[in-house]
C-alpha cells in the first residue's frame, strides 16, 4: 500500500503572505477551458497575474521549443487579458517579463 499526502499549494501560500510591492505570478497548464480555469485559479489563489497555456496543443508546450500563453493581470480596473502568440519559449518568457514591467510602470504613475 502506498500512502500519499496532499502537497501544500505553494503559490497560494506565497500570495497569502505577500506585501506591497510584491507581484505574485502563477502558471496554469490546462487541457481544456483554459480561460475559465486560469481565471478561477487567479481569483482562488489571490494572484496578481496568471499565465495560462493549453498543453493539449501539439505544436506548443511541454514537448516543443515553442509556446503561446494567455495572461490575465489584475489591476485597478479589473482583470486584463493579453495573448502571447505562438513563438519560441525564450520570447514567450520575455513577453511575460514585459507584461510585469508594464504593470509596475502603470501602477507607479
Amino acid at each position: 500500500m502506498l500512502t500519499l499526502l496532499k502537497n501544500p499549494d505553494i503559490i497560494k501560500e506565497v500570495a497569502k503572505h505577500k506585501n506591497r510591492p510584491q507581484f505574485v505570478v502563477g502558471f496554469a497548464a490546462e487541457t481544456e477551458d483554459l480561460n475559465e480555469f486560469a481565471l478561477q485559479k487567479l481569483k482562488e489563489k489571490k494572484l496578481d497575474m496568471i499565465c495560462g497555456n493549453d498543453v493539449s496543443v501539439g505544436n506548443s508546450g511541454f514537448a516543443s521549443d515553442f509556446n503561446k500563453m494567455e495572461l490575465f493581470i489584475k489591476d485597478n480596473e479589473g482583470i486584463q487579458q493579453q495573448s502571447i502568440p505562438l513563438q519560441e519559449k525564450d520570447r514567450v518568457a520575455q513577453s511575460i517579463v514585459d507584461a510585469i514591467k508594464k504593470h509596475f510602470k502603470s501602477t507607479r504613475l
Side-chain angles (χ1 to χ4, degrees), residues 47-92:
L47 304 175
D48 298 298
M49 179 172 133
I50 195 159
C51 308
N53 68 315
D54 184 343
V55 296
S56 68
V57 178
N59 62 347
S60 69
F62 295 126
S64 174
D65 292 332
F66 295 86
N67 211 344
K68 60 183 178 177
M69 292 273 172
E70 290 296 323
L71 307 183
F72 299 92
I73 307 164
K74 281 198 304 189
D75 63 19
N76 294 336
E77 298 174 17
I79 298 172
Q80 308 303 318
Q81 183 174 354
Q82 177 184 335
S83 296
I84 299 174
L86 184 67
Q87 54 192 320
E88 291 180 332
K89 287 182 177 177
D90 61 337
R91 294 194 60 206
V92 172

